[in-house]
Amino acid sequence: MRGFNDDDFLLDTLIARRLYREVAADLPVIDYHSHLQQGEIAARKVFANITELWLGGDHYKWRLMRTAGVDESFITGDQSDEAKFRAFCKVLPLAAGNPIHHWCHLELKRLFGIELSINEANAGDIWSLANAKLATMDTWAFLEQAKVEIACTTDDPADDLAQHDELARSALKTRVLPAYRPDRAMRINKPDFAEYLGQLGKAAGITIDSFAALVKALDDRVGYFHARGARISDHALDIPLSVAPVSAAECEALFARRLGGAELSEAQAGVYLRGLMEALGRVYARHGWAMCLHIGAHRNNNSRRMREMGPDTGYDSISDMSCSSSLAALLDALDSTDELPKTLLFCLNPAMNEVLSTLIGAFQDGSVRGKLQFGPAWWFNDHKDGNLAQLATLANHGVLGTFVGMVTDSRSFASYPRHDYFRRLLCRLLGQWVEAGEYPDDMAALGDIVRGVCYENAKHYFGL
């Protein structure tokens, strides 16, 4: 019987173990999509204790604790940090098969050198040992210990990126780069949309009183971000885009209607969003950027909790929104004028895996290896089975060796062992194929795949 979380964790063949140890384990990390706070990096924040590190803002763990019957006072409420940590340790053993159970044990082992099982009996020892180590670590230490070569944050177009400028001048070994996330410009029906246009216009030095002015402001800010190292944009597509072509006049009319105080229907919002995404896609193509589309989230389902706690607190789910026709139409509109940028499709609904993994093949043009990418297992798919399914689906329909690999998609500085988790799963899958006689026992070829997927492809693809 194998020991839990031993050095061969998830590596079930000799080939997998060799690939992991000889190729994957020590590669640097390029984390091209995260939600780390650049202010915490610039300030070299030291975490008060493991509760602040693990439970502060981590809606994955909050959701798990609520499901296990933990009272909210021990999650986001007024209980002490130690009491919250002990409550988490008490219920985590119930979460067999949940990736949080795997991730937390990997984090304890890799970040703190602690190999105790997380449970109620060990909570006190883990609390003391982890906190003693945390007292010697700051945010830079987390990045450098995990061999993070590049970490991309998530930044609004109106941000001044002053802390990024500060980090670029610092002695931090990790390059911390901004990524462009214009969601507030996309969400036209949000109550603060007009207020946001004022903020964006001020940053761009433009009065945004038309759709054309909005596009001009966003274009100017792409240039500002580009000068500070940005090469990636992120977009949450939470409603279907219009399938039919959209004219500039339609976008102007809808923009004026919204600024006049009217709320758009979902169909009208889809028309506006299609027009905006086309305009932005052309901007990204001109700058050589990659456009990341995050598809299939159903956000803030619980209205009571939304009122009490706000967004991103653990009340989201997978959407069954149909998006293949609208995505194909968007990609085709950009491709038809040779203005389709490098594009990653992140899918939250596993039922869409085959749909998106085949859609990307329709727009490859040989100009860039894997110009269109089926993005890594994201959010609710980021578990053992989800990662293996994403890799196998990509292999079935595309070229696995061109894949740009994993991201943390996390607010936690402790989350970098997720890259190790992914690397182990990649080596596991390749090892199983060799064992089954489905791929040659060719360490050079296998090593090229692993090295590319885990590090080199992302570096070249994003131009980082």
Side-chain angles (χ1 to χ4, degrees):
M1 184 178 69
R2 292 278 304 279
F4 172 67
N5 199 30
D6 64 11
D7 291 343
D8 293 334
F9 180 55
L10 299 174
L11 305 171
D12 58 354
T13 65
L14 178 61
I15 294 292
R17 293 190 283 274
R18 283 192 62 195
L19 279 174
Y20 174 75
R21 292 195 176 88
E22 295 176 16
V23 183
D26 294 323
L27 289 170
V29 168
I30 294 180
D31 196 31
Y32 57 87
H33 176 66
S34 82
H35 295 276
L36 298 181
Q37 297 301 303
Q38 61 267 30
E40 294 182 343
I41 305 173
R44 301 192 67 162
K45 177 177 177 176
V46 176
F47 293 90
N49 53 54
I50 193 170
T51 298
E52 183 183 11
L53 177 68
W54 265 9
L55 297 176
D58 191 337
H59 57 79
Y60 287 69
K61 295 187 181 74
W62 295 353
R63 185 180 176 107
L64 185 154
M65 293 172 76
R66 291 177 189 129
T67 302
V70 176
D71 185 81
E72 194 67 34
S73 65
F74 289 91
I75 304 172
T76 62
D78 58 3
Q79 294 290 336
S80 71
D81 283 354
E82 183 172 359
K84 291 176 179 178
F85 179 72
R86 288 180 177 274
F88 176 68
C89 291
K90 182 177 180 179
V91 300
L92 188 63
L94 299 174
N98 190 302
I100 296 172
H101 189 272
H102 287 165
W103 294 342
C104 287
H105 284 91
L106 281 172
E107 289 169 20
L108 274 191
K109 183 175 181 178
R110 293 180 66 87
L111 301 177
F112 302 109
I114 299 172
E115 299 193 38
L116 295 171
S117 292
I118 302 169
N119 55 40
E120 186 175 17
N122 289 333
D125 288 339
I126 295 172
W127 172 262
S128 299
L129 292 168
N131 289 345
K133 182 67 180 292
L134 274 176
T136 71
M137 302 175 71
D138 60 17
T139 50
W140 287 23
F142 282 102
L143 294 170
E144 293 179 355
Q145 179 178 319
K147 299 181 180 178
V148 182
E149 182 175 306
I150 296 169
C152 294
T153 58
T154 303
D155 305 274
D156 188 276
D159 288 350
D160 64 13
L161 304 182
Q163 290 165 327
H164 281 279
D165 290 342
E166 179 183 343
L167 287 165
R169 296 189 299 268
S170 75
L172 177 63
K173 294 177 183 177
T174 301
R175 291 175 63 205
V176 180
L177 301 177
Y180 188 84
R181 181 85 177 220
D183 283 3
R184 293 185 70 187
M186 297 163 61
R187 293 170 176 165
I188 191 169
N189 276 332
K190 288 291 185 181
D192 64 350
F193 181 70
E195 177 188 346
Y196 175 67
L197 295 180
Q199 298 171 14
L200 178 62
K202 182 178 179 180
I206 296 172
T207 298
I208 303 178
D209 54 6
S210 66
F211 180 77
L214 171 62
V215 173
K216 176 65 166 60
L218 291 170
D219 190 348
D220 287 354
R221 297 306 289 174
V222 168
Y224 183 87
F225 273 57
H226 188 88
R228 285 153 181 80
R231 298 293 184 269
I232 301 167
S233 69
D234 288 306
H235 305 264
L237 298 184
D238 296 337
I239 63 170
L241 306 181
S242 170
V243 176
V246 173
S247 68
E250 286 178 283
C251 291
E252 292 291 0
L254 291 170
F255 189 86
R257 176 178 171 81
R258 182 70 185 97
L259 287 193
E263 184 170 317
L264 305 185
S265 68
E266 183 174 285
Q268 290 172 325
V271 170
Y272 164 81
L273 191 54
R274 163 73 185 272
L276 184 63
M277 290 306 303
E278 274 195 50
L280 286 171
R282 295 187 179 97
V283 173
Y284 302 147
R286 194 171 72 246
H287 283 85
W289 279 25
M291 177 173 69
C292 299
L293 305 181
H294 302 267
I295 305 156
H298 199 288
R299 302 175 193 271
N300 307 312
N301 295 279
N302 190 321
S303 60
R304 175 172 65 90
R305 289 302 202 183
M306 178 64 180
R307 290 192 300 271
E308 295 171 354
M309 306 179 68
D312 303 320
T313 50
Y315 298 98
D316 307 308
S317 64
I318 295 171
S319 168
D320 61 357
M321 174 183 75
S322 176
C323 62
S324 60
S325 296
S326 58
L327 274 176
L330 171 65
L331 298 177
D332 186 57
L334 292 168
D335 184 75
S336 66
T337 55
D338 198 21
E339 294 175 290
L340 177 62
K342 294 176 287 189
T343 301
L344 285 80
L345 304 181
F346 290 75
C347 181
L348 195 53
N349 187 344
M352 295 291 291
N353 280 1
E354 280 77 11
V355 172
L356 298 188
S357 67
T358 54
L359 179 60
I360 65 171
F363 294 97
Q364 308 287 8
D365 61 13
S367 62
V368 178
R369 275 196 1 159
K371 179 178 177 179
L372 271 75
Q373 293 271 334
F374 177 39
W378 169 50
W379 199 346
F380 292 114
N381 288 330
D382 189 3
H383 46 71
K384 187 187 81 170
D385 292 341
N387 276 284
L388 292 171
Q390 187 272 344
L391 290 167
T393 303
L394 175 57
N396 283 336
H397 300 297
V399 181
L400 179 61
T402 66
F403 179 38
V404 294
M406 196 54 182
V407 294
T408 59
D409 187 35
S410 173
R411 292 164 176 78
S412 173
F413 286 87
S415 64
Y416 280 101
R418 295 185 195 179
H419 279 266
D420 182 63
Y421 191 68
F422 168 81
R423 291 173 178 187
R424 289 171 179 270
L425 289 170
L426 173 63
C427 293
R428 174 193 180 105
L429 186 62
L430 291 171
Q432 289 176 348
W433 287 344
V434 173
E435 288 281 317
E438 297 172 13
Y439 192 87
D441 185 0
D442 181 342
M443 283 298 293
L446 291 163
D448 285 345
I449 293 173
V450 170
R451 197 175 297 106
V453 171
C454 295
Y455 171 66
E456 291 176 350
N457 293 345
K459 187 165 187 172
H460 295 307
Y461 181 82
F462 296 112
L464 302 174

